[in-house]
């Protein structure tokens, strides 16, 4: 594990089927380990939703290690033991494949790239409250951890002038979908029916324009912060630092700008009033998350549950084979942007 040193405070007993300890001094990330062999995670979680919610409210994320989780179906059952109705994945920002009912591959970006820490779907008008990750295969080479950062640490560190500018205007996201740009709209919205896409955009306060033979451009003004539905905490919650053109490799951004212009980029982020966000603003936010990230190396069978408001997640580069599966639950709809 990288980041602050672990607090080795076990709270299990000899007779308990699990042990519990906090991984970071700021009470961030709880590790729950099976203390007996072949302990079924779905069975152990059944009836413990309130206990898990209390742990997430306090720690932001809970790692389950040493439990019996061998297949995607085992993982699905464990997630459904907490929240029976798992979510689909519309308005996608990355390619994924569904390997079991509402269980998806994690973001399929180049293994050599860092994926900056972010809140899942914070570019949308709705997002999952809880995320579930299962390690089917840790990286056979090096790297591949899923770093986490606590918003209780990050939010107070956002410079006051940056926070105030975003709070005044919000964030505007412009996305271009097409067969040669980012994702085709058919994959992002999981339909081949333009009328369904138009209905989704209308219901989510998203402007849209059909372009050429098979292109789509959307523009949506969204929140800069969000309020946790249980704890009442207001946290930094947006995708500006991830969608901003400065997050692309310089040579890639330059080539896309020359060919398509600023409005034709696969994705970009602006202030909600349409004005450009300076590179140094979003670069500073990405660096804040990276600097305060905690990485716990994956072991086969690990399950990580993340509160999507209180913690951000990302992906370290890796070599070799790696498979992390994802499920989501408890949809939150931000009525203030509709």
């Amino acid at each position: 594990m990288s980041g602050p040193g672990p607090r080795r405070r076990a709270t299990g007993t000899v007779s308990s089927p699990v042990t519990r300890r906090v991984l970071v001094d700021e009470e961030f990330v709880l590790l729950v380990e099976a203390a007996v062999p072949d302990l079924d995670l779905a069975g152990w979680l059944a009836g413990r939703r309130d206990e898990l919610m209390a742990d997430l409210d306090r720690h932001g994320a809970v790692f389950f290690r040493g439990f019996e989780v061998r297949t995607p179906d085992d993982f699905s059952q464990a997630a459904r033991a907490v929240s029976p109705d798992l979510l689909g994945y519309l308005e996608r920002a990355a390619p994924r494949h569904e390997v079991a009912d509402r269980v998806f591959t994690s973001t399929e970006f180049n293994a050599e790239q860092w994926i900056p820490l972010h809140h899942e779907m914070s570019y949308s008008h709705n997002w999952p409250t809880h995320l579930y990750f299962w390690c089917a295969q840790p990286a056979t080479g090096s790297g591949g951890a899923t770093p986490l950062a606590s918003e209780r640490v990050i939010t107070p560190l956002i410079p006051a002038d940056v926070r105030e500018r975003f709070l005044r205007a919000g964030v505007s996201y412009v996305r271009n979908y097409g067969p040669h740009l980012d994702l085709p709209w058919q994959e992002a919205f999981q339909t081949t029916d333009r009328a369904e896409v138009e209905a989704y955009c209308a219901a989510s306060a998203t402007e849209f324009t059909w372009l050429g033979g098979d292109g789509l451009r959307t523009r949506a003004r969204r929140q800069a912060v969000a309020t946790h539905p249980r704890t009442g905490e207001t946290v930094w919650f947006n995708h500006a630092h991830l969608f901003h053109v400065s997050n692309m490799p310089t040579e890639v951004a330059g080539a896309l700008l020359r060919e398509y212009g600023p409005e034709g980029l696969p994705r970009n982020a602006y202030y909600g009033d349409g004005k450009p966000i300076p590179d140094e603003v979003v670069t500073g936010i990405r660096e804040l998350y990276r600097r305060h990230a905690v990485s716990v190396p994956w072991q086969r069978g690990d399950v990580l549950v993340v509160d999507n408001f209180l913690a951000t997640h990302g992906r370290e580069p890796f070599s070799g084979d790696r498979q992390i599966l994802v499920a989501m639950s408890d949809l939150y709809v931000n009525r203030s942007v509709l």
Side-chain angles (χ1 to χ4, degrees):
M1 183 190 76
S2 61
R7 174 185 298 172
R8 300 186 178 277
R9 181 178 52 126
T11 57
T13 66
V14 173
S15 60
S16 173
V18 304
T19 61
R20 296 158 53 93
R21 61 187 174 95
V22 178
L23 292 181
V24 182
D25 286 342
E26 290 84 359
E27 295 289 313
F28 185 50
V29 188
L30 176 68
L31 176 65
V32 178
E33 293 187 273
V36 297
D38 303 323
L39 185 59
D40 175 61
L41 182 58
W44 188 83
L45 284 171
R48 285 188 165 91
R49 177 180 168 90
D50 289 348
E51 178 183 330
L52 179 59
M53 293 303 105
D55 284 337
L56 289 171
D57 288 350
R58 181 174 181 182
H59 303 290
V62 180
F63 244 107
F64 293 96
R65 174 162 287 173
F67 289 82
E68 189 77 0
V69 187
R70 294 187 175 183
T71 68
D73 285 337
D74 291 344
F75 171 55
S76 174
Q77 290 174 22
R80 291 175 195 275
V82 179
S83 298
D85 297 321
L86 300 182
L87 302 177
Y89 187 34
L90 290 184
E91 201 179 345
R92 298 184 178 194
R96 298 176 187 256
H97 292 91
E98 190 169 1
V99 299
D101 183 28
R102 305 207 170 184
V103 173
F104 303 90
T105 55
S106 57
T107 302
E108 298 174 5
F109 282 149
N110 190 313
E112 297 177 357
Q113 293 181 343
W114 274 89
I115 298 177
L117 281 81
H118 60 282
H119 297 280
E120 190 67 29
M121 294 189 69
S122 64
Y123 54 82
S124 184
H125 70 294
N126 58 200
W127 52 80
T129 302
H130 303 119
L131 311 175
Y132 309 81
F133 299 88
W134 173 58
C135 180
Q137 172 64 63
T140 56
S142 61
T146 297
L148 304 168
S150 171
E151 259 327 325
R152 289 172 172 141
V153 172
I154 299 299
T155 298
L157 296 176
I158 302 291
D161 59 333
V162 171
R163 183 185 301 112
E164 290 165 7
R165 181 70 177 90
F166 275 98
L167 287 176
R168 285 198 309 271
V171 187
S172 180
Y173 302 103
V174 176
R175 299 187 64 182
N176 285 279
Y177 305 91
H180 307 297
L181 268 176
D182 200 28
L183 296 176
W185 59 266
Q186 295 90 337
E187 182 174 352
F189 294 95
Q190 292 293 285
T191 181
T192 58
D193 187 342
R194 292 191 179 204
E196 288 186 24
V197 175
E198 293 174 2
Y200 179 91
C201 290
S204 61
T206 302
E207 300 174 17
F208 66 91
T209 304
W210 295 105
L211 302 170
D214 209 21
L216 171 67
R217 177 176 299 156
T218 63
R219 183 185 302 271
R221 184 176 179 274
R222 303 299 187 213
Q223 74 292 319
V225 299
T227 300
H228 195 287
R230 291 190 306 276
T231 71
E233 296 166 274
T234 297
V235 295
W236 195 251
F237 196 90
N238 62 76
H239 250 61
H241 66 289
L242 198 66
F243 276 11
H244 193 268
V245 62
S246 65
N247 190 42
M248 294 183 187
T250 303
E251 63 278 8
V252 173
L256 288 170
L257 284 166
R258 286 191 297 272
E259 184 165 358
Y260 299 105
E263 282 292 297
L265 292 173
R267 61 189 76 180
N268 202 357
Y270 303 83
Y271 290 119
D273 56 15
K275 295 181 179 178
I277 302 172
D279 290 1
E280 60 269 20
V281 169
V282 284
T283 298
I285 292 170
R286 285 195 296 270
E287 290 175 349
L288 266 180
Y289 281 125
R290 183 88 167 263
R291 191 181 316 138
H292 293 277
V294 175
S295 290
V296 182
W298 285 111
Q299 295 181 16
R300 189 188 302 273
D302 283 350
V303 171
L304 169 64
V305 185
V306 175
D307 184 304
N308 193 33
F309 285 81
L310 298 180
T312 54
H313 66 281
R315 192 204 66 190
E316 295 179 1
F318 66 94
S319 62
D321 295 327
R322 174 187 185 269
Q323 186 179 45
I324 307 297
L325 300 186
V326 182
M328 304 175 287
S329 72
D330 301 285
L331 187 70
Y332 179 89
V333 179
N334 185 5
R335 303 291 180 187
S336 67
V337 301
L338 301 178

